[in-house]
Amino acid sequence: MERLQAKRKKAVLIDVDYIVREGRALVRLLMKGKRFFRLYDAYEPYFYCDAPESAEKEIMGLKVAGKDRQISPTRCERVLMNVLGQEKRIWKVYCQLPSDVPHLSSAMHYPCYEHNIPFGKRYMIDKELAPFMQLTYEREGRFIKRILRKREAAVSLKTMAFDIETYNPVGMPRPDKDEIILISYKVGSQQAKVLSSRKIARDFVVACKDERQMIEKFLEAVRENDVEVLFGYNDTVFDLPYLKARADSNGLVFAIGRDGKPFRIRKHGIRDVAEIAGRIHIDLYPVVRFMGLIGAFKISKYSLENAYEELTGKRKLMVGKLDIWRMWDGDAKMMAELADYSRFDAVATMEIGEMLLPMQIEMSRVARLPLFDTANATAGQLVESILMHKSRQEGRIIPNKPDDTLASQRELGPIKGAFVKIPQPGIYENLVVFDFRGLYPSIITSHNIDPYTIDPPPSVPDSDCYLCPNGHRFRKKPRGLIPSVLEEIIKMRAEMKARLKTLEKDSPEYEMVFARQQSLKILANSYYGYLAYPRSRWYSRECGESVTAWGRYFIQDTIDKAEKAGFTVLYGDTDSIFLLLRGRDGGLKTKQDALEFMRRINQELPGDMELELEGFYPRGVFVTKKVGAAGSEETGAKKKYALIGEDGRIKIRGFELVRRDWSNIAKQAQRKVLEAILKDGSKEKAVRVVKEIISLLKEGKAPLEDLIIYTQIRKDPKKYDVTSPELSAAKKAIAAGMRIERGSMIGYVITKSGGSISEKAQLAELARDYDAQYYIEKQVLPAVLKILKELGYSENDLKFKGEQKGLDSFF
């Protein structure tokens, strides 16, 4: 056969996996040129074995019974590696197939390493590849012969967002019985379309003869638009499985993948993920949830409408879920309104996707993890990917994942946490807040904290070590893997932030650089958690304890120095200190005094550590919390305060309005009270706000949507022993034919019907009235009393009983 001539090409790497053909493993690279395409590369699977040089014959003679053949190593070689901190020669054992690796390594009588790394990831690590790299390569046919050059490249991906509406006359739709009535989708910047099995008077509606044709046209749109990224919102749980179930009912293959096959559901930690061959499927729900949990943005609940409002500042068109079937069965106007709603779901999903995609792409680049995996990853998995790539570059063995037994042992006994100076409750004026910039990351890099630099032999003198307050020692040299990687991330982020100042805000380059620095911030803040995570490959309890010990030392030392400098320290927590611009002797401090104090502290801090000005605040409120037996005592509450900045913006921490398990009316009351106190300096306005809301509730005029309490059902409703309000509401919904299961997010209202609070709880869609007294006593008053108590008001004052006391001492 004539040998194919090698051709030189360029394309962007998107993802890597593998297939087995004719008894050998072929790595499969998903590339993007004008469109997505596949390339192949033959690559040998392997693992490492820490056996003596004399063990070669034993290794090569190993035979393990496989499913359909006998498994043996194909070859082995002696290599020099850094094994868990020590340089030594070990065996690199090659296998025929990736599936042979776990069989052979588990049969060895010697320690084995790197036997549980997915083969696609193995290839990317060894070839030093990252997603969204432009590769210049030579190929013969569809096989890569040589990678000549690698560089980062800008990438434009063809996106599509979709959503479905189903006929739901008994509540939660049943995929075996209830048809899909509308499928909405939006491709890139094109107008959103709605596929319908009926004619509807909207120009964006495409009328189909039946449900089968709707599904066919949806799949046709995916194919014809050559969709590369498919956005959904919680579609792994609902939309995709429902579409497939209805396709099956209609005798269709739900051919959404480039291979003409349906999606594949697989386990990813505790969650299911839906993979689509040749396309990047991004379920935005776990992305939004992850970003919310790590503090990338503030979000109280994770529904599509709430995510859309909180991320874009716009409100989504809404209809009641239980009204959908009625609108479908209604007149032409109602069907048109339902089509508007369906279309908006696709538009909202696309807008959220377009907002989050740049950051996800940059996170993918930095973590060297394919975009699909990045969108479904935890912070620990992102950190681990970076460490695995860096380990290979430095010739270090990647530690094994712990098994369940070892992980359970590691979980015993919590690591001692941060230092907290509890604030005295009250309302204060003229505060300054300082933060340690990236406290835990800077402690790690400044003290070379790493599992393989900790506690060197006694022969290493203290002068060559960093001495931790808890007694551990860390070698100053050589540099540990974790601090070196973290240092690179911190340096890269500083460069990105500096670069941002030189760019036009609306330019594509600004968007990319901003997304990169945000992703670097998220990653930098995840390294301490990863060190202390029991299932981490680089777990070290001693390192985790040392990080928090140094954290406690530096915050306490800074508090001591602030007091010696004449400041009143109101509050200190983990990495922040709150000072009053008023000395303990009553004398006043200036802003310049505060900045000079910060400068002096920074002169004394080691390495990368730095104290930063977070801001000056004209006024702040700190509240009490109940402690002791049955809440018999009160003290100041940590992480529960509100401040107003010099720009008029209110900063809120720990109050109910940032939690989803409080009703909107309670949150509104709390926010308005805080605004009255902090912005207007008016205690009278604060009380007036509460009394107006109480009157609104008593008169039955409060909107039902402001009374919904959201919560998540964390296990099967049938397995709960105690009947709580949310469980009672869930059971009533199930009895009405709705599907409520583990993980479902539900909203309920406390109604007038029933004896106990649990009996009164009703799913929001089914509620017709509300118990005013419950919302006054259990929602509004608890949300505001801790604040107003600092003004001398009692519960009776707000209920129009009794008189205020001690008002003159505050303003």
Side-chain angles (χ1 to χ4, degrees), residues 79-141:
V79 293
L80 179 65
M81 298 292 288
N82 183 309
V83 183
L84 310 184
Q86 290 186 331
E87 295 284 334
K88 62 196 309 189
R89 291 196 173 274
I90 60 175
W91 289 104
K92 188 175 184 180
V93 183
Y94 294 88
C95 311
Q96 184 178 342
L97 298 176
S99 58
D100 296 348
V101 170
H103 290 295
L104 289 171
S105 60
S106 63
M108 291 284 182
H109 300 302
Y110 304 100
C112 293
Y113 301 99
E114 303 197 11
H115 49 78
N116 56 2
I117 298 173
F119 193 50
K121 183 180 283 189
R122 165 91 284 159
Y123 180 86
M124 290 182 72
I125 290 171
D126 291 353
K127 298 285 186 178
E128 297 187 16
L129 300 176
F132 307 111
M133 268 185 176
Q134 185 186 73
L135 307 184
T136 303
Y137 56 91
E138 287 182 352
R139 78 178 204 188
E140 290 180 2

Side-chain angles (χ1 to χ4, degrees), residues 516-770:
R516 172 72 63 92
Q517 72 88 19
Q518 282 290 94
S519 66
L520 290 167
K521 178 183 178 181
I522 291 165
L523 289 166
N525 289 332
S526 301
Y527 275 77
Y528 161 72
Y530 183 73
L531 268 173
Y533 176 51
R535 293 188 179 275
S536 159
R537 291 178 186 268
W538 279 272
Y539 170 83
S540 172
R541 181 186 180 88
E542 294 79 9
C543 287
E545 288 174 332
S546 298
V547 172
T548 56
W550 255 308
R552 291 190 298 274
Y553 168 77
F554 283 112
I555 195 74
Q556 287 174 288
D557 185 58
T558 304
I559 286 171
D560 290 343
K561 287 173 179 173
E563 289 175 341
K564 285 175 184 173
F567 290 94
T568 297
V569 180
L570 173 64
Y571 176 42
D573 188 353
T574 311
D575 60 354
S576 303
I577 59 168
F578 293 57
L579 309 180
L580 299 179
L581 293 180
R582 184 187 74 232
R584 286 172 296 167
D585 58 0
L588 295 179
K589 292 284 187 179
T590 66
K591 291 181 181 178
Q592 195 55 44
D593 292 333
L595 295 174
E596 177 58 25
F597 168 73
M598 180 182 73
R599 188 189 66 78
R600 289 199 307 271
I601 292 293
N602 283 331
Q603 286 179 335
E604 300 170 8
L605 290 173
D608 298 322
M609 296 191 68
E610 183 182 358
L611 192 67
E612 290 183 318
L613 173 69
E614 202 250 86
F616 290 101
Y617 297 92
R619 189 175 291 120
V621 57
F622 294 77
V623 300
T624 60
K625 72 171 182 178
K626 292 186 182 294
V627 296
S632 56
E633 301 173 34
E634 290 186 342
T635 184
K638 66 176 183 175
K639 297 187 190 298
K640 200 161 188 176
Y641 57 87
L643 307 168
I644 187 167
E646 294 181 305
D647 59 359
R649 293 183 181 179
I650 293 178
K651 176 180 179 178
I652 297 167
R653 291 290 180 270
F655 285 110
E656 283 74 13
L657 60 87
V658 297
R659 288 170 45 187
R660 70 166 177 248
D661 55 348
W662 283 71
S663 64
N664 198 40
I665 201 161
K667 295 175 185 179
Q668 287 174 0
Q670 195 175 76
R671 178 173 287 281
K672 288 177 179 178
V673 163
L674 288 171
E675 287 176 349
I677 294 169
L678 296 174
K679 281 189 174 181
D680 304 318
S682 171
K683 56 184 179 285
E684 294 84 9
K685 182 177 180 180
V687 173
R688 190 164 63 247
V689 160
V690 180
K691 289 187 174 182
E692 286 171 358
I693 290 173
I694 289 174
S695 293
L696 186 75
L697 282 163
K698 284 183 173 179
E699 292 165 13
K701 294 179 181 178
L704 271 177
E705 57 265 29
D706 286 342
L707 306 177
I708 300 171
I709 302 165
Y710 289 93
T711 192
Q712 188 174 33
I713 302 296
R714 301 197 177 274
K715 59 183 180 180
D716 188 327
K718 297 169 188 171
K719 295 182 179 176
Y720 279 86
D721 297 324
V722 179
T723 301
S724 58
E726 63 268 24
L727 181 60
S728 175
K731 286 182 173 179
K732 289 172 189 172
I734 291 168
M738 300 180 75
R739 182 182 298 171
I740 305 289
E741 51 198 25
R742 179 181 176 272
S744 293
M745 183 68 67
I746 68 164
Y748 64 91
V749 173
I750 303 301
T751 66
K752 294 178 180 178
S753 304
S756 67
I757 297 300
S758 292
E759 289 171 357
K760 292 180 177 184
Q762 184 68 270
L763 207 69
E765 291 90 338
L766 304 175
R768 296 292 174 264
D769 57 34
Y770 65 86

